[in-house]
Structure formats: C-alpha cells, structure tokens
Amino acid sequence: MSSSDQEPQPAPVAGSDGPTPPGKAMTLERKLIDEGAQILQSKKPVSQMKQHLCSFALYGHDPCRQIEAHHYAARLNEEVLQCAVYDSDSPSARLIGVEYIVSEAIFEKLPAEEQKLWHSHAYAIKSGALTCPGVPEVMQRQELKGLAKTYGKFWCTWQVDRGDRLPLGAPALMMSMQTGMAQPEMVKRRDEKYEVSSEALKESRKEMPEPEKIHPNADYWKLHGKGFAVDVVQMDMNSPPALAASAI
Amino acid sequence: MTRQVEAHHYCSHQNQDVRQCLIYDSEGPEARLIGVEYMVAEPLFLALPDDEKPLWHSHEYEVKSGMLFMPGLPGLVEHKDLEQVCKTYGKTYHFWQVDRGDELPFGIPQLMMAFTRDGQLREELAKDIEGRYGVSFEKEREKREYMKGPENGIHPLANGAGKGQMLELREVDLPPVSSLPRAFI
C-alpha cells in the first residue's frame, strides 16, 4: 500500500481534475494572522536559503519520468547544503521534497549502502541542465565549479507530475540527469522561460573541472539497472514509529 | 514511543485548507532541515484514498494539550490559528535523525506520528521546551479547552489506523532506459 512506485488508489485527490492542491481560497482572517506572524516571528532557518537552482530530476524507480525541480539551497558549511525543493519558482509553488548535497570528500566516507541512495551532479551542471535563474553565467560558473564535484540525496514527497493533487504515498528517491536522458521539450520550455540556452551553458562550462571519476555506488540505476522504491509496512506495536513534539 | 523529537515548523499556506511546512531541529541560523509536513483541512483528509489515510495524523491532542505552540505570537492570535489547526490532519516525513546523533541524513525517510494522548510525551522534553520558551503546557491546556477537533471526530484510519507504520527500501528492476524519457508537461 502507498508505495512510492505505485499509482494511488482512485480518489478525488488522485489524478482528477481540479486545482493542485484542492481547497478554499484564503480568508482575510487567515491573511492577517500570516501578516502578524511574518512581523513577529523570526525565520532564521528559512532565511539561510540564499540560492535558487533550477534543474531536472528523474524518479529512481522510473528514470524515464522526469521533472523540473527548483532547489532553494542553504549552506550548512563548506561541504554540506540542504535544499527545499519546489515544482516551480512562483509563490504558489508546491513543496515537492528535500535534497541534501555533500562534497566528494564526505560522500567517499559514507557506507556503501548509503552511497547507493545518492546521485552525482557533474553531468547536470556541465551539460547546462542546471542553472541559477537570473544569475549571469560568469558568476554562476564560480559557484557551480564547486557543486560539480558534489553528490546529492533527493526525496520527493509530492508526485505532482503524475496528477497527485495532494502528497500521496511514501517518499520517492530521485536521481539526477545523466547523458542522453533529458527530455528535449522539458528543457526547451525551461530555457525559454528563463531566457537561457542549455547548449550555450554547456559550451561555457566545457573546461569546468569534474570528479576524475563518478563514484560507482552513486547513480545506482545507471550502473546496476536497478532503482529503489519505498514501501509502507505495518509494524509490531512494540516498536512504534518516532513521534514528533512540535513547537510549530 | 522512545524516540521523540522537538520540531520547528515553518509553514506556508497553499490555500485556506492546505499548508506545507519545512521542519528544522531548532530555530537558529544553523538549524538542520530535518523534514517536511503537509497539513490539510478535514474535508481534504476525508477525500484521501483509504490506504493513504493511515499515513496522516490528527492534531487535536497536540493543540489541546498545549504542546504545540507558535513562539512569539500573542495568545489571541495564536489561538485563532490553532482553532483551525486543531481540526486538521498532517503527514510528516523526517529525513535526518539528528536525535540519534546522525551527522548527516542517513538512511531512508521516517514516517512521523503525532502525540495522541496523555502520557506519551517524555517529561524532560516537555520541561525543557517549557523552560526555554517560557510557556506552560498546563495553562495552555486550560485556555484551549474550548477548541474542537475534526467535525466528524478523529477518523479511525488516521494515526496509522491504530498500528505502527514504517518505511522500507526495495530494489526494483528498471525497464530498459529507452530513448523516449517521459515528462508530464
């Protein structure tokens, strides 16, 4: 039930017509509460997201299924970033998952079983699939030079692209764009929207250093012909799941 | 029941009935992004497929017990919001188990449940939060007595349908990578 690679059961919120998500328009009271919270509360963790990266991701259980992904990245230190991932850059964008990015040095020290869940970034960056919207290429290149040698782990929690009007099922593991995979229409649409040319970016990044070789445990599907899906299973009540106490 | 985590939610409204939240382990600039939560109004929860409902948890207890609060907001404003939250259902995944000392987000996501009754929340965790934020769960509980949970009562399939739910990773054979990748445009 609810596995990340399973189509959801038919329901008003799965694959039907209507806005994603469904729901009533915000009331005036709601907006006033939000304004109040905006003024009175600090949002330090969220304000650390300083960069917007636009790229494409593949579903780990079906690499032929691709999405445009907008990462809002915050740097924890020189070697680790954490990103909130959305399906667009508009105020109504849906939060579709989270990606963590680590340096090559950190990735190499991870246990093999963990490495299989991560993907490389070299191809996505050097091919021009990944771009920082609005940032001149000459500046982007500086930042992306460092990112080209990183590895990422991306969990997608809302499969908007298949018509889920609410987040359904278990999280899906995502993978990065690799050679020959990019769906041309999808890239063209993105390029037109941001007035960039992936081809021109690729040309500009030709000399960009990349890892001498991509670690064989990363991009697992590519080398092993196998992907990963996530299932929900019922457990023995003696070992129940973790509970979260919230401060909201 | 043994592993319990303090979670700071930063929420935005998709519309009146749906929120999406980033969850951090603290409120400082160095906070780690540990998960996400989606919150929906009762009618939307009821529209979910039946096999989806157990992945969602109710908020009535957490709101009415006082343990869920909005730091820095005056009580009256906070209560206006919490009256709504009380009736919602949430779906939470954590990716980074900082509470067990993981220095990076290892492993697969965890499906998180909510507290649903007295006696679950560890005393020392409660006291620590109360002390740091200058709140009293007990006093809040009294003030929130008037709040109501979902109109139709807490759905029997919510909160894991009374059973534990966990996630497992499965390797899948992939179809040959064709030259026609799909994108739902």
Side-chain angles (χ1 to χ4, degrees):
Chain A
M1 101 185 174
S2 313
S3 298
S4 62
D5 60 343
Q6 246 172 26
E7 288 292 319
Q9 286 175 347
V13 296
S16 57
D17 288 332
T20 295
K24 297 194 284 295
M26 289 208 278
T27 61
L28 181 58
E29 182 182 78
R30 171 78 257 149
K31 291 180 189 171
L32 288 175
I33 293 172
D34 277 1
E35 283 302 308
Q38 177 83 320
I39 293 166
L40 292 169
Q41 296 185 309
S42 84
K43 318 274 182 316
K44 292 198 188 88
V46 172
S47 61
Q48 302 309 305
M49 292 192 283
K50 311 276 191 212
Q51 284 184 304
H52 169 205
L53 308 164
C54 174
S55 188
F56 305 99
L58 325 173
Y59 281 86
H61 60 267
D62 184 2
C64 294
R65 221 176 108 201
Q66 306 182 1
I67 58 170
E68 181 180 309
H70 292 258
H71 289 55
Y72 290 83
R75 199 170 263 289
L76 284 174
N77 59 42
E78 227 9 77
E79 295 184 79
V80 181
L81 296 101
Q82 52 192 17
C83 313
V85 188
Y86 294 82
D87 66 338
S88 79
D89 64 350
S90 82
S92 60
R94 275 82 50 134
L95 174 64
I96 59 170
V98 167
E99 176 159 350
Y100 300 95
I101 297 177
V102 301
S103 66
E104 194 174 14
I106 286 185
F107 179 80
E108 276 167 4
K109 294 201 188 79
L110 297 174
E113 283 308 297
E114 177 63 36
Q115 288 174 333
K116 290 176 185 175
L117 306 180
W118 295 69
H119 57 262
S120 62
H121 289 133
Y123 179 79
I125 289 172
K126 293 200 66 169
S127 68
L130 190 153
T131 183
C132 306
V135 179
E137 170 62 5
V138 78
M139 285 170 64
Q140 280 195 47
R141 248 191 346 239
Q142 268 309 105
E143 174 65 14
L144 295 180
K145 218 166 55 173
L147 287 179
K149 294 190 180 186
T150 60
Y151 292 82
K153 185 181 194 184
F154 176 4
W155 295 105
C156 171
T157 47
W158 192 346
Q159 299 191 41
V160 176
D161 66 305
R162 84 175 166 194
D164 293 3
R165 297 176 64 206
L166 284 174
L168 304 175
L173 183 65
M174 306 298 281
M175 291 288 157
S176 60
M177 192 61 68
Q178 302 296 328
T179 316
M181 283 300 288
Q183 212 276 353
E185 273 309 306
M186 183 179 65
V187 177
K188 181 160 174 266
R189 201 165 52 102
R190 190 282 303 270
D191 282 4
E192 279 167 8
K193 177 168 180 201
Y194 291 105
E195 291 172 353
V196 296
S197 152
S198 306
E199 280 305 314
L201 295 177
K202 181 176 171 183
E203 188 57 36
S204 137
R205 296 170 190 181
K206 248 182 4 197
E207 305 301 324
M208 192 183 276
E210 53 193 286
E212 275 181 25
K213 77 182 178 104
I214 302 294
H215 197 288
N217 284 341
D219 308 322
Y220 193 72
W221 66 275
K222 200 172 152 206
L223 294 179
H224 298 88
K226 289 185 189 296
F228 293 106
V230 177
D231 297 320
V232 181
V233 299
Q234 292 192 330
M235 332 178 333
D236 176 356
M237 273 310 279
N238 290 326
S239 46
L243 293 166
S246 351
I248 214 172
Chain B
M1 229 54 88
T2 50
R3 287 185 57 205
Q4 303 182 354
V5 178
E6 179 183 325
H8 293 257
H9 292 61
Y10 292 82
C11 312
S12 71
H13 274 264
Q14 280 282 298
N15 56 42
Q16 182 70 12
D17 299 330
V18 179
R19 289 179 218 220
Q20 51 193 21
C21 317
L22 295 173
I23 306 176
Y24 292 84
D25 65 338
S26 79
E27 53 170 330
E30 73 294 340
R32 291 163 292 199
L33 175 59
I34 60 173
V36 299
E37 177 162 1
Y38 301 95
M39 294 164 61
V40 301
E42 186 184 6
L44 296 186
F45 172 82
L46 295 175
L48 294 170
D50 276 356
D51 71 345
E52 175 69 25
K53 290 185 171 84
L55 308 185
W56 296 69
H57 54 265
S58 55
H59 289 129
E60 182 178 356
Y61 174 76
E62 288 187 340
V63 169
K64 295 192 68 167
S65 68
M67 70 167 68
L68 195 158
F69 62 97
M70 302 168 75
L73 279 200
L76 285 179
V77 178
E78 187 192 31
H79 286 178
K80 274 277 156 231
D81 196 20
L82 293 179
E83 283 164 21
Q84 299 307 312
V85 175
C86 201
K87 299 171 192 286
T88 61
Y89 290 85
K91 183 183 193 182
T92 303
Y93 289 113
H94 281 199
F95 309 109
W96 194 343
Q97 299 182 62
V98 295
D99 66 303
R100 71 171 181 196
D102 288 5
E103 55 183 18
L104 285 169
F106 297 130
I108 64 172
Q110 302 288 300
L111 177 66
M112 305 301 282
M113 288 291 140
F115 295 96
T116 48
R117 59 176 193 279
D118 287 348
Q120 290 174 334
L121 175 60
R122 285 209 314 273
E123 190 78 36
E124 70 276 13
L125 192 58
K127 292 256 167 301
D128 179 45
I129 293 172
E130 285 179 305
R132 278 189 285 121
Y133 287 95
V135 298
S136 157
F137 293 163
E138 206 40 58
K139 288 206 178 84
E140 274 305 306
R141 184 188 286 241
E142 283 163 27
K143 293 185 196 160
R144 300 179 191 182
E145 228 177 327
Y146 74 95
M147 292 188 193
K148 292 193 169 40
E151 301 292 321
N152 296 285
I154 294 173
H155 196 283
L157 289 180
N159 303 308
K163 298 190 171 61
Q165 312 280 315
M166 69 181 254
L167 302 185
E168 276 183 359
L169 195 68
R170 167 172 44 95
E171 216 170 81
V172 299
D173 287 320
L174 295 179
V177 172
S178 74
S179 58
L180 294 169
R182 293 183 289 131
F184 297 100
I185 293 176

